[in-house]
Amino acid sequence: MKKVSLIARIFICLIIGVFLGIICKNLDIVFPIRILATLSGLFGNFLSFIIPLIIIGFIVPGIASLGGKSGKGLLITTIIAYISTIIAGFLAWASGQTLLPKFIKENILLSNGGQAIEPYFSVDMPPIMGVMSALVLAFLLGIGLSKIKNSTLLKSMEDFSSVVLMVVTKVLIPLVPIYIGCVFAKLSFSGEIFNTLKSFGIVYLILFSLQIIYLLIQYSIAGIIKKKNPIALIKNMMPAYLTAVGTQSSAATIPVTLACTKDNDVQDKVADFVIPLCATIHLSGDTITLVLTSMAVMYMNGNIPTFSMMMPFIFMLGITMIAAPGVPGGGVMSALGLLESMFGFGGIEKPIMIALHAAQDSFGTATNITGDGAIAIIIEYIINRKSNSKTEETEYDDITEAV
């Protein structure tokens, strides 16, 4: 199974879970579902325990490393990448608000029905701190350590980050397909699984359309700035897009993204700085996915995701996913804390969010890195414009002194 991709493993376990739930329901056999409920409960409790550690482990080194760099280019790139991520989130919210209520039935997740299957036993694993406490601590440590040169604590935090990353890659990610299979077995036992799966299909149609539309928006702006055909710019980025679909990692795709960006006549010095940085901080594809799918899950639960609920989530999402590891599922693992603390997502909703994110992770990553090429064009324009402005000011000063 190690050679099988994550999405394939999730799909296999999901199908097995659905059919097992249906068979047990038809035969009126409860004990297999109770065993699965026990396993999913244990994993869910461990997931809740590890979430604050993931937040601290991912965010502290990420913010500290960004702050350790210097230059206006860093600030400009970070601001534009964050703005792009936020715009993507609000586009997803506006689209979801308009389209999702027309296609999704309320209360089809039947959280209460799923929870009626009692586990044989449970083990409490209370988190060492709340999600918001972990976020505040991560921001304070990250910003503070960015100002201290050769910090011993930063080295310790990097080691801690490596441990957390090891837990995510060696424990959480391998067990996630089984966890999802257990949850879908409970859902199918409740009898409403097919309505749920039908709604997921509609969500994906909207999701993929939004990702394509957002790339067209990004490259339309880049095309106007570069005075080139946006379609031609996107065509040059297709090798990077396809590579990201295969690797599911922005970091692993950096060399190809760099080459494609330079094919769009972006200066080497700009591309060499912007592309590796944006691979970490520009997450428009993941943001579209997490915003739209979380809204879909809320509608399925009979809740209405209002603007006042989604706005802080979108703003926090752009920060929380900083330095999410270059492994499949890193983005959603970083966002689980926000989903739990802001929307109250629990043992049913969180695995569904993981499954929804994993099923499109390749295309979300591809949207992220393809958009990085457009960001590089915009950054190049801003930097060159400032350089030209400074040159004109210098020439004016020289003329004034001569006079």
Side-chain angles (χ1 to χ4, degrees):
M1 287 292 284
K2 288 183 178 180
K3 296 181 179 179
V4 181
S5 66
L6 176 62
I7 179 57
R9 282 180 279 150
I10 287 177
F11 183 75
I12 291 169
C13 291
L14 189 152
I15 296 298
I16 293 173
V18 168
F19 278 103
L20 182 61
I22 293 172
I23 291 171
C24 289
K25 179 179 175 61
N26 291 334
L27 297 178
D28 197 23
I29 301 174
V30 180
F31 78 88
I33 307 301
R34 288 192 66 186
I35 293 174
L36 296 181
T38 303
L39 294 176
S40 66
L42 292 173
F43 186 87
N45 289 344
F46 178 71
L47 192 60
S48 297
F49 169 80
I50 202 72
I51 282 173
L53 305 182
I54 291 175
I55 290 172
I56 295 172
F58 287 177
I59 292 181
V60 173
I63 293 179
S65 63
L66 288 178
K69 299 176 183 177
S70 60
K72 293 182 179 179
L74 169 67
L75 179 62
I76 295 171
T77 304
T78 303
I79 291 174
I80 291 179
Y82 184 70
I83 290 173
S84 175
T85 301
I86 296 306
I87 291 173
F90 283 113
L91 174 65
W93 172 81
S95 302
Q97 191 84 345
T98 304
L99 298 174
L100 290 178
K102 298 178 181 178
F103 300 106
I104 293 180
K105 293 181 180 180
E106 294 184 357
N107 298 317
I108 63 172
L109 276 186
L110 295 178
S111 296
N112 292 333
Q115 294 172 356
I117 305 299
E118 296 293 334
Y120 283 111
F121 66 91
S122 63
V123 178
D124 289 334
M125 305 177 200
I128 58 174
M129 67 180 70
V131 170
M132 294 310 297
S133 297
L135 282 169
V136 173
L137 178 61
F139 293 151
L140 289 175
L141 286 175
I143 294 171
L145 291 175
S146 69
K147 306 299 181 182
I148 302 174
K149 294 182 179 180
N150 302 321
S151 171
T152 304
L153 180 56
L154 178 57
K155 180 63 173 64
S156 300
M157 292 306 303
E158 289 171 349
D159 290 341
F160 176 72
S161 178
S162 298
V163 172
V164 173
L165 179 57
M166 194 182 303
V167 172
V168 171
T169 55
K170 303 296 184 182
V171 180
L172 293 185
I173 298 298
L175 291 179
V176 155
I178 299 172
Y179 178 43
I180 290 170
C182 294
V183 170
F184 273 84
K186 291 195 295 180
L187 285 173
S188 61
F189 191 83
S190 70
E192 291 292 332
I193 187 62
F194 293 108
N195 284 333
T196 303
L197 294 176
K198 179 182 175 182
S199 298
F200 290 166
I202 294 168
V203 171
Y204 282 126
L205 285 176
I206 300 172
L207 175 62
F208 292 135
S209 299
L210 281 179
Q211 289 176 344
I212 293 170
I213 289 170
Y214 194 62
L215 284 177
L216 290 173
I217 292 172
Q218 287 178 313
Y219 277 93
S220 295
I221 296 171
I224 292 172
I225 290 173
K226 199 75 174 173
K227 296 180 180 178
K228 287 190 175 183
N229 186 340
I231 303 301
L233 295 174
I234 293 176
K235 184 179 178 181
N236 288 336
M237 294 297 300
M238 285 308 296
Y241 185 94
L242 296 175
T243 303
V245 169
T247 63
Q248 293 184 313
S249 169
S250 296
T253 314
I254 286 175
V256 183
T257 312
L258 269 172
C260 293
T261 303
K262 292 175 182 179
D263 286 343
N264 279 332
D265 296 328
V266 176
Q267 295 171 343
D268 288 0
K269 64 179 182 179
V270 175
D272 291 342
F273 173 77
V274 172
I275 296 303
L277 179 59
C278 282
T280 301
I281 64 176
H282 182 228
L283 298 154
S284 55
D286 277 311
T287 301
I288 289 173
T289 299
L290 291 168
V291 170
L292 193 68
T293 52
S294 63
M295 292 177 68
V297 169
M298 281 190 275
Y299 277 121
M300 291 178 191
N301 270 335
N303 300 323
I304 298 176
T306 62
F307 181 76
S308 60
M309 290 172 60
M310 297 305 299
M311 182 181 68
F313 175 70
I314 293 170
F315 279 111
M316 292 298 296
L317 198 58
I319 300 173
T320 304
M321 289 192 297
I322 287 178
V327 295
V332 70
M333 288 297 173
S334 301
L336 285 178
L338 295 179
L339 294 169
E340 182 179 334
S341 62
M342 291 186 167
F343 301 149
F345 282 11
I348 297 292
E349 295 88 355
K350 285 191 289 187
I352 287 177
M353 285 296 299
I354 295 172
L356 288 172
H357 183 274
Q360 64 75 60
D361 195 22
S362 295
F363 299 97
T365 302
T367 303
N368 292 340
I369 63 92
T370 305
D372 294 347
I375 297 290
I377 292 173
I378 296 170
I379 298 300
E380 180 189 48
Y381 172 77
I382 294 173
I383 291 176
N384 288 342
R385 188 177 179 184
K386 287 192 172 187
S387 298
N388 292 336
S389 176
K390 287 183 178 179
T391 301
E392 290 174 1
E393 289 178 3
T394 303
E395 291 175 352
Y396 177 80
D397 292 339
D398 291 342
I399 295 171
T400 303
E401 289 176 5
V403 171

